[in-house]
């Protein structure tokens, strides 16, 4: 069933959706559809056959006529091909890019006109050159380039010190200077999921992520299943990674001037993100198509005098695993950077940066000046250089490191307000600027937190994608969900008064049916397109209301979209927690009303939306929490019913090889819930499969935008103002996928890699909050934009992940010593003192003891760890108007040898498995000791 669905969606869904959404993007023409049904015929480039070359790490097949890559198979996994070699026949026509191609934009002499050149546009057999010694294959590329190109270009495949190297030699063959304003080396690896089953995609395909770090940059290519080996593409010689340029599909261009040749016919959509260029020079793009964007690195160009030559190259190396990437960089004499807590810098955090490179550091420069203060610090391990960083100015900042050998490395940071302040600003913005009140609204959306356009600074009351204006789907529920999740750790009485108005006046009985044939069913949208039931000219004439996205009233009332249910269940659950554990914050209903509604909503999903409920849901972790609270409250019948329904879903996933499909052919959101239930029901093998897959698309990279940024690339089409297919940075995949990654880390605190990935995703959400508190859905990564989308859209699930994850982690690293993620740590003798500074201050993890401390009520103010005895002392914030007692949970998900069971040193009353700690006016201290 899954295979059939996946192949059908891969072939048909793109056309159905794109025809109705953005006709210019629907590249799946009738001619292409016919071609898919017939075996592809080889293009002329395959007529001369192949060349097979052997290296210590790879078996490399080149197309003889072009000397581009036909396959690149690692010796460690000889059945696997990093390139789309299984598609070589259908991709053997003109215009298809292959590894080994080259893109250029050049101009001659004093001319102002740039001209584009590419080896992929019109294939002609290249002129093979003699190969000997370290050279495996070489060719003059003149025959496959236009005759008017002012450069002579040759390509070399070589083996140096056992490593595969690709080089391009450029020579000015004219009598005038030639300026190379753009040079891109296409990175063509097998991320083409089109027409594949999930099983086939995970067996054959890869994703790749860039470290756009100039001379220290690299590309990591990781398999979909998360297994090793991984491929690293490194600079050879002076080949900086200046930018990451998309190779768009035919019919979409980077601009009309100059000509649109940098395109590939492979259809881009949900199952194909597209290929990219490793951009060495970008000035010509920065002056034209990218002129309105702030680039990651300063755009450069190259000028060649008559007869002058220049060489560029890339090296291909293998890492045994994803976790082994940084060790492989070190072994290949490349710089390694590790930021703690990452590359998002709250202004109250004492951050750290560790650098490893054989050469000394000549200079460190921050741009804008003063955005980050940098000071040197001692580090206990040889080989590392350590620095302390303090964020000062909100926004993007670039750290440029110049080493003594001239190598230049850039690290991209994002400075944010203190996490608690940023989240408080967000809550205020949502419940003031985005608070919609109109008693005459024909769609009964008032009062509510509505979608918002930050460019116009207006609430979105109409959109042809009706869910955005209808409080439904991720694109319309995002803002109200974020406003409620914020209350979990930062309850605000005024905001909660409005949220309760929304729940009683709009959610219950409006967005969610209270009776009728679908009690507790969640409708798709409150807004709809039904012109015959509204006054003439009610709907905006500048929108296209003819597509499937403009649901009728009848369609909007359907309750079969399972993805709408977790938002509603989460809303009830948060209000239950607040009502149960505090006094006077939530007053419209007793606590059990909210828990019952959370339960009934969860059950309704399995009854009314079972078609999509077979997939893991975004925010699906909420169901595990609801089940746990049902059990704690003694609601045994409800707990048994919910558990049975969830086990039916989990059993299905257990039987599948890769149980993370969705309504889309491939997705990165169901893994969160799948992992949660696999762990709950002790299906450990499938939990590991799920986690491995997450790590395959969720990297750690020295760049705030990519670090912990789980791959998403199509949701701008459905929920953004700028409807584009492109890599989304810190979209909701980041926050949601951080949930299983950090949960796994808490079971394995020795796996520092997991903490870095998970915390990067958790902190990424904070970059989406602007200085006034507006929460964007994600950052546009394409270099013509490089900014946050201004429509609030589907921002809520990302903040859900942040709210579920935000915590302070205390770690004793074998090389870096005592460090904290989400707080500031200092060592005083044998006592480690930590001030939690995360958004909520509800959770603390003490890694050396595998100790997970959480609060249902109250706040952590201070944590002290005795490095000798392991004893832990926690300071809780004083009593407040609404919270007279803290409720402390003590868990030890990691079973560490020699660590006993922690408990309070003094007896405390327990309620619902939590210790009740009466709060004092000042700090209340609780001593925790481990018994044997």
């Amino acid at each position: 069933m899954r295979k059939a669905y996946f192949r059908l969606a891969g072939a048909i869904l793109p056309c159905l959706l794109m025809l109705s959404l953005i006709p210019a993007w629907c590249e799946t023409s009738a001619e292409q559809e016919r071609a898919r049904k017939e075996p592809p015929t080889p293009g002329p480039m395959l007529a001369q056959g192949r060349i097979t070359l052997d290296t210590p790490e790879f078996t490399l097949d080149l197309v003889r006529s072009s000397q581009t890559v036909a396959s690149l198979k690692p010796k460690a996994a000889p059945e696997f091909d990093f390139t789309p070699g299984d598609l070589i026949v259908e991709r053997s026509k003109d215009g298809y890019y292959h590894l080994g191609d080259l893109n250029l934009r050049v101009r001659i002499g004093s001319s102002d006109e740039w001209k584009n050149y590419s080896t992929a546009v019109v294939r002609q057999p290249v002129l093979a050159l003699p190969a000997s010694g370290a050279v495996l294959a070489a060719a003059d590329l003149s025959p496959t380039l236009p005759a008017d190109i002012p450069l002579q270009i040759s390509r070399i495949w070589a083996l140096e010190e056992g490593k595969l190297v690709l080089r391009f030699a450029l020579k000015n063959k004219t009598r005038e200077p030639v300026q190379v304003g753009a040079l891109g080396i296409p990175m063509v690896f097998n991320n083409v999921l089109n027409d594949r089953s999930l099983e086939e995609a995970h067996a054959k395909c890869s994703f790749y992520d860039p470290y756009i770090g100039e001379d220290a940059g690299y590309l990591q290519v990781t398999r979909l299943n998360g297994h090793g080996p991984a491929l690293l593409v490194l600079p050879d010689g002076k080949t900086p990674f200046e930018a990451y340029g998309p190779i768009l599909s035919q019919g979409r261009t980077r601009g009309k001037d100059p000509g649109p040749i940098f395109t590939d016919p492979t259809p881009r959509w949900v199952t194909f993100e597209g290929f990219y260029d490793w951009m060495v020079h970008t000035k010509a793009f920065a002056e034209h198509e990218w002129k309105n964007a702030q680039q990651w690195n300063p755009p450069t160009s190259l000028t060649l005098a008559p007869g002058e030559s220049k060489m560029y190259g890339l090296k291909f190396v293998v890492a045994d695993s994803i976790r082994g990437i940084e060790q492989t960089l070190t072994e290949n004499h490349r710089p390694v950077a590790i930021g703690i807590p990452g590359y998002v810098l709250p202004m109250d955090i004492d951050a750290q940066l560790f650098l490893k490179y054989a050469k000394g550091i000549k200079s460190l420069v921050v741009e804008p000046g003063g955005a980050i203060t940098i000071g040197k610090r001692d580090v206990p391990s040889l080989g590392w250089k350590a620095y302390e960083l303090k964020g000062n100015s909100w926004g993007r900042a670039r750290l440029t490191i110049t080493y003594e050998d001239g190598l230049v490395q850039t690290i991209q940071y994002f400075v944010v307000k203190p996490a608690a302040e940023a989240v408080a600003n967000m809550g205020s913005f949502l419940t003031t600027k985005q608070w919609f009140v109109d008693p005459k609204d024909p769609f009964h959306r008032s009062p509510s937190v509505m979608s918002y356009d930050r460019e116009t600074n207006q609430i979105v009351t109409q959109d042809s994608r009706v869910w955005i204006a209808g409080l439904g789907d991720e694109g319309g529920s995002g803002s109200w969900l974020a406003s409620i999740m914020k209350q979990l750790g930062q309850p605000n009485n005024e905001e909660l008064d409005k949220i309760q108005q929304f729940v009683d006046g709009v959610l219950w009985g409006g967005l969610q049916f209270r009776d009728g044939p679908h009690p507790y069913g969640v409708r798709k949208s409150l807004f709809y397109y039904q012109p015959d039931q509204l006054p003439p000219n009610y709907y905006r004439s500048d929108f296209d209301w003819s597509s499937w996205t403009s649901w009728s009233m009848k369609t909007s009332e359907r309750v079969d979209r399972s993805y709408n249910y977790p938002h509603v269940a989460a809303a009830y659950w948060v209000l239950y927690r607040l009502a149960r554990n505090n006094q006077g914050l939530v007053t419209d209903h007793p606590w059990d009303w909210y828990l019952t509604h959370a339960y009934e909503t969860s059950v309704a999903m399995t009854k009314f939306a079972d078609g999509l409920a077979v997939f893991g849901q975004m925010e699906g972790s909420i169901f595990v929490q609801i089940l746990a609270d049902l059990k704690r409250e003694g609601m045994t019948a409800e707990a048994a019913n919910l558990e049975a329904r969830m086990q039916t879903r989990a059993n299905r996933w257990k039987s599948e090889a890769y149980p993370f499909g969705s309504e889309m052919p491939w997705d990165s959101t169901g893994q969160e819930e799948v992992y949660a239930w696999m762990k709950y029901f002790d299906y450990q093998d499938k939990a590991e499969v799920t986690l491995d897959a997450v790590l395959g698309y969720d990297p750690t990279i020295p760049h705030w935008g990519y670090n912990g940024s789980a791959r998403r690339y199509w949701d701008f089409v459905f929920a953004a103002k700028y409807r584009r297919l492109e890599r989304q940075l810190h979209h909701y995949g980041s926050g949601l996928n951080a949930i299983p990654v950090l949960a796994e880390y808490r079971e394995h605190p020795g796996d520092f890699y997991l903490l870095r990935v998970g915390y990067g995703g958790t902190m990424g959400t904070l970059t989406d909050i602007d200085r006034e508190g507006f929460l964007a859905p994600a950052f546009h990564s394409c270099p013509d934009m490089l900014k946050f989308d201004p429509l609030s859209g589907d921002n809520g699930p990302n903040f859900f992940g942040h709210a579920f994850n935000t915590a302070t982690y205390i770690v004793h690293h074998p090389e870096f010593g005592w460090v904290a993620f989400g707080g500031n740590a200092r060592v005083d003798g044998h006592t480690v003192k930590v001030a939690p500074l995360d958004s909520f201050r509800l959770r603390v993890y003490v890694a050396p003891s595998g100790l997970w401390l959480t609060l249902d009520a109250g706040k952590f103010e201070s944590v002290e760890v005795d490095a000798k005895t392991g004893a832990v002392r926690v300071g809780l914030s004083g009593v407040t108007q609404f919270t007279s007692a803290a409720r402390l949970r003590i868990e030890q998900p990691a079973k560490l040898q020699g660590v006993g069971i922690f408990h309070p040193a003094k007896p405390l009353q327990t309620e619902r498995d939590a210790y009740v700690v009466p709060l004092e006016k000042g700090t209340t201290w609780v001593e925790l000791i481990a018994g044997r």
Side-chain angles (χ1 to χ4, degrees):
M1 189 70 177
R2 176 67 57 77
K3 280 188 178 183
Y5 173 79
F6 193 79
R7 290 185 184 278
L8 180 66
I12 298 176
L13 184 63
C15 195
L16 293 177
L17 296 184
M18 298 303 277
L19 274 171
S20 54
L21 275 174
I22 309 171
W25 279 12
C26 188
E27 301 130 356
T28 310
S29 65
E31 182 178 350
Q32 288 172 319
E33 287 295 330
R34 286 194 299 272
R36 285 181 178 179
K37 298 175 184 178
E38 301 171 1
T41 55
M45 69 179 291
L46 298 182
Q48 297 180 20
R50 303 187 184 195
I51 305 169
T52 299
L53 302 170
D54 189 69
T55 79
E57 292 186 321
F58 299 102
T59 299
L60 170 66
D61 269 15
L62 299 180
V63 176
R64 186 180 298 275
S65 69
S66 64
Q67 288 196 12
T68 55
V69 174
S71 68
L72 182 65
K73 298 182 178 182
K75 296 286 183 68
E79 77 290 347
F80 184 77
D81 185 358
F82 280 113
T83 70
D86 61 330
L87 305 177
I88 188 66
V89 173
E90 62 188 85
R91 301 190 71 257
S92 61
K93 312 293 195 302
D94 287 351
Y96 287 94
Y97 279 90
H98 300 273
L99 191 60
D101 277 317
L102 188 68
N103 286 327
L104 300 120
R105 180 173 286 185
V106 304
R107 62 188 178 191
I108 304 174
S110 60
S111 172
D112 292 331
E113 180 185 3
W114 292 106
K115 288 189 177 182
N116 290 336
Y117 297 93
S118 174
T119 58
V121 175
V122 179
R123 294 286 180 190
Q124 294 293 334
V126 298
L127 179 63
L129 300 175
S132 61
V135 176
L136 300 174
D140 181 344
L141 304 186
S142 299
T144 199
L145 288 164
D148 68 346
I149 187 169
L151 301 173
Q152 180 180 346
I153 303 176
S154 59
R155 180 181 53 223
I156 299 168
W157 293 97
L159 186 65
E160 293 197 355
E161 298 180 351
K163 306 299 180 183
L164 177 65
V165 177
L166 165 65
R167 294 194 180 113
F168 294 94
L170 282 61
K171 182 179 181 181
N172 181 355
K173 63 183 183 181
T174 75
R175 296 181 178 180
E176 296 185 80
V178 173
Q179 186 177 12
V180 179
L183 187 148
I185 304 174
M187 298 288 94
V188 182
F189 300 107
N190 197 3
N191 62 340
V192 185
L193 279 62
N194 298 342
D195 304 316
R196 301 186 194 272
S197 67
L198 275 174
E199 290 83 353
E200 182 184 4
H202 281 82
K204 292 184 177 181
C205 295
S206 301
F207 285 133
Y208 37 108
D209 292 289
Y211 171 33
I212 311 168
E214 295 283 25
D215 299 336
Y218 59 86
L219 189 79
Q220 61 181 57
V221 186
T222 54
R223 300 169 67 179
L224 251 66
N225 59 22
H227 297 171
L231 171 66
L232 294 181
V233 184
L234 310 175
D236 177 68
K238 187 72 172 178
T239 309
F241 202 162
E242 186 169 292
Y244 197 45
I247 297 173
L248 301 175
S249 299
Q250 289 185 348
R252 299 283 294 173
T253 74
R254 286 176 171 167
K256 297 180 180 179
D257 179 27
I261 70 168
F262 302 134
T263 63
D264 186 289
T266 309
R268 294 172 65 241
W269 182 226
V270 176
T271 50
F272 179 52
E273 178 183 350
F275 302 124
Y276 291 86
D277 272 331
W278 174 305
M279 301 294 293
V280 179
H281 298 296
T282 59
K283 179 181 177 181
F285 281 114
E287 292 177 350
H288 291 82
E289 300 93 324
W290 302 353
K291 64 183 178 182
N292 294 322
Q294 176 192 350
Q295 298 303 309
W296 298 122
N297 295 304
T300 65
S301 63
L302 166 74
T303 298
L304 290 174
E308 186 179 3
S309 298
K310 176 71 174 178
M311 182 85 75
Y312 297 98
L314 297 174
K315 183 183 297 184
F316 302 86
V317 303
V318 169
D320 62 352
S321 67
I322 293 174
R323 289 175 177 83
I325 285 174
E326 286 162 339
Q327 178 60 34
T328 303
L329 290 172
T330 299
E331 292 169 355
N332 284 272
H333 316 294
R334 307 305 303 166
V336 172
I338 295 179
I340 294 176
Y343 309 95
V344 178
L345 300 185
M347 294 178 187
D348 58 349
I349 289 291
D350 298 329
Q352 299 167 70
L353 175 64
F354 297 91
L355 300 171
K356 179 180 280 189
Y357 185 55
K359 303 299 182 180
I361 292 176
K362 183 177 179 181
S363 67
L364 296 97
V365 177
V366 174
E367 298 171 275
I372 300 172
T373 301
I374 302 179
K376 199 165 185 179
R377 56 156 289 177
D378 295 331
V379 64
S381 179
L382 294 176
W384 291 97
K385 302 173 184 68
Y387 295 88
E388 294 178 344
L389 283 70
K390 194 79 172 181
N392 302 317
S393 303
W394 186 93
R396 287 170 52 184
R398 179 175 61 236
L399 172 61
T400 301
I401 306 158
T402 303
Y403 295 92
E404 291 176 348
D405 62 354
L407 186 145
V408 175
Q409 175 175 20
T410 58
I411 300 175
Q412 306 291 334
Y413 282 95
F414 201 108
V415 179
V416 299
K417 292 181 178 182
E421 182 182 346
V423 169
N425 291 346
M426 182 200 75
S428 176
F429 194 102
L430 288 164
T431 53
T432 54
K433 302 287 188 181
Q434 295 185 233
W435 183 245
F436 174 72
V437 179
D438 181 2
K440 296 182 180 180
D441 178 51
F443 303 99
H444 307 290
R445 297 170 293 184
S446 171
S448 65
V449 177
M450 289 271 287
S451 297
Y452 195 81
D453 185 329
R454 190 64 165 122
E455 287 185 338
T456 63
N457 281 321
Q458 292 179 334
I459 290 174
V460 178
T461 58
Q462 292 195 35
D463 194 293
S464 59
R465 299 160 297 179
V466 295
W467 53 83
I468 289 176
L471 302 173
D473 194 81
E474 295 72 65
S477 65
S479 290
W480 66 254
L481 174 64
S483 72
I484 295 175
M485 293 306 302
K486 180 263 180 187
Q487 307 306 316
L488 178 65
Q490 284 194 25
N492 177 283
N493 202 33
E494 292 182 2
E495 294 170 7
L496 277 166
D497 284 346
K498 290 183 175 180
I499 286 169
Q500 290 177 88
Q501 292 176 43
F502 163 69
V503 169
D504 288 345
V506 177
L507 180 58
W508 178 236
L511 193 60
Q512 182 178 39
F513 292 112
R514 69 169 71 213
D515 48 32
H518 303 113
Y520 295 96
V522 180
R523 59 183 291 175
K524 295 170 71 174
S525 173
L526 285 176
F527 182 66
Y528 49 81
Y529 180 68
Q530 197 75 44
D532 59 350
Q533 295 192 11
L534 288 154
N537 302 317
Y538 177 86
Y539 293 99
R540 287 178 53 170
S541 60
D542 56 330
F543 288 166
D544 176 12
W545 300 96
S546 64
S547 82
W548 69 271
T549 66
S550 300
W551 294 332
S552 66
M553 182 173 71
K554 181 178 180 181
T555 301
S556 74
E557 292 175 345
R558 291 176 58 176
V559 295
D560 57 351
R561 179 171 162 75
S562 61
Y563 301 99
N564 291 322
Y565 288 78
H567 316 323
V568 177
Y572 289 131
W573 177 79
V574 169
L575 294 177
Y576 152 72
R577 280 289 185 107
L578 294 174
R580 189 64 164 124
N581 298 303
N582 302 273
Q583 304 85 45
L585 280 173
V586 175
T587 56
D588 282 12
H589 300 283
W591 64 264
D592 55 342
W593 187 91
Y594 294 106
L595 182 56
T596 298
H597 276 64
Y599 158 73
E600 293 287 1
T601 303
S602 307
V603 171
M605 181 191 74
T606 66
K607 291 163 57 176
F608 304 136
D610 57 327
L612 289 174
V614 298
F615 303 123
Q617 306 293 295
M618 57 205 73
E619 309 146 37
S621 297
I622 194 64
F623 300 130
V624 182
Q625 293 295 322
I626 292 168
L627 177 57
D629 283 318
L630 290 171
K631 290 183 174 182
R632 290 171 183 146
E633 296 290 2
M635 299 172 67
T636 54
E638 292 86 349
N641 182 32
L642 182 60
E643 185 174 69
R645 290 174 179 271
M646 296 301 163
Q647 183 152 24
T648 297
R649 300 170 68 222
N651 287 343
R652 176 191 178 103
W653 300 333
K654 180 187 177 184
S655 68
E656 296 173 330
Y658 296 100
F660 6 92
S662 81
E663 61 184 333
M664 296 300 183
W666 175 86
D667 216 329
S668 59
T669 53
Q671 288 84 344
E672 166 229 337
E673 189 195 4
V674 170
Y675 174 90
W677 288 118
M678 296 300 96
K679 297 295 287 189
Y680 181 89
F681 291 114
D682 198 27
Y683 300 156
Q684 184 61 37
D685 59 335
K686 204 60 64 171
E688 292 174 1
V689 168
T690 306
L691 182 75
D692 287 346
V694 171
L695 296 180
Y697 58 73
D698 199 350
T700 179
I701 284 174
H703 188 303
W704 71 264
Y706 291 90
N707 189 54
S709 186
R711 179 166 258 92
R712 306 288 299 163
Y713 53 88
W714 63 81
D715 278 314
F716 280 149
V717 175
F718 297 109
K721 184 167 185 175
Y722 297 103
R723 310 180 190 189
R724 296 146 53 104
L725 188 73
E726 69 182 299
R727 177 68 183 275
Q728 299 168 278
L729 301 184
H730 293 303
H731 187 251
Y732 62 68
S734 295
L736 294 180
N737 282 281
I739 295 175
V741 173
L742 287 175
E744 187 75 10
Y745 171 73
R746 292 192 294 270
E747 290 191 3
H748 303 93
D751 194 341
F752 193 57
Y753 183 88
L754 293 175
L755 177 59
R756 292 167 58 204
V757 172
Y759 214 83
T762 300
M763 294 295 286
T765 310
L766 297 180
T767 67
D768 294 331
I769 303 173
D770 74 12
R771 276 173 281 199
E772 293 182 38
F774 171 75
L775 178 65
F779 187 88
H780 288 271
S781 70
C782 284
D784 66 330
M785 189 169 283
L786 291 176
K787 67 178 182 179
F788 295 96
D789 195 86
L791 182 63
S792 57
D794 51 3
N795 55 10
N798 201 16
F799 191 78
F800 173 96
H802 180 84
F804 238 61
N805 270 330
T806 183
T808 298
Y809 286 78
I810 303 169
V811 179
H812 189 227
H813 191 274
E815 294 181 282
F816 307 148
W818 286 98
V819 295
F821 286 67
N824 289 334
R826 65 183 180 90
V827 179
D828 185 0
H830 59 79
T831 302
V832 182
K833 298 181 178 181
V834 178
L837 296 172
D838 63 276
S839 305
F840 286 177
R841 302 169 198 186
L842 295 179
R843 312 176 184 103
V844 171
Y845 185 71
V846 184
S849 303
L851 180 63
W852 182 228
L853 305 175
T854 60
L855 293 169
D856 290 351
K859 298 279 187 183
F860 287 111
E861 190 174 273
S862 182
V863 180
E864 296 182 357
V865 179
D866 189 314
K868 287 186 176 181
T869 67
V872 176
R873 186 170 178 250
V874 298
L876 305 176
S877 298
V879 65
T880 70
Q881 176 186 355
F882 304 109
T883 308
S884 59
R887 285 172 167 77
L888 172 67
R889 298 188 183 278
I890 302 175
E891 301 173 67
Q892 293 175 256
K895 309 306 178 186
L896 302 179
Q897 187 175 2
V899 177
I901 305 300
F902 275 85
H903 59 85
K906 296 181 180 179
L908 290 171
Q909 179 185 351
T910 60
E911 290 181 3
R912 302 184 301 282
D913 304 328
Y915 292 100
V916 179
V917 184
L919 295 175
E920 303 169 4
K921 288 186 178 180
T923 304
T924 303
W925 289 95
V926 179
E927 304 276 351
L928 304 177
I929 57 175
R932 298 296 175 183

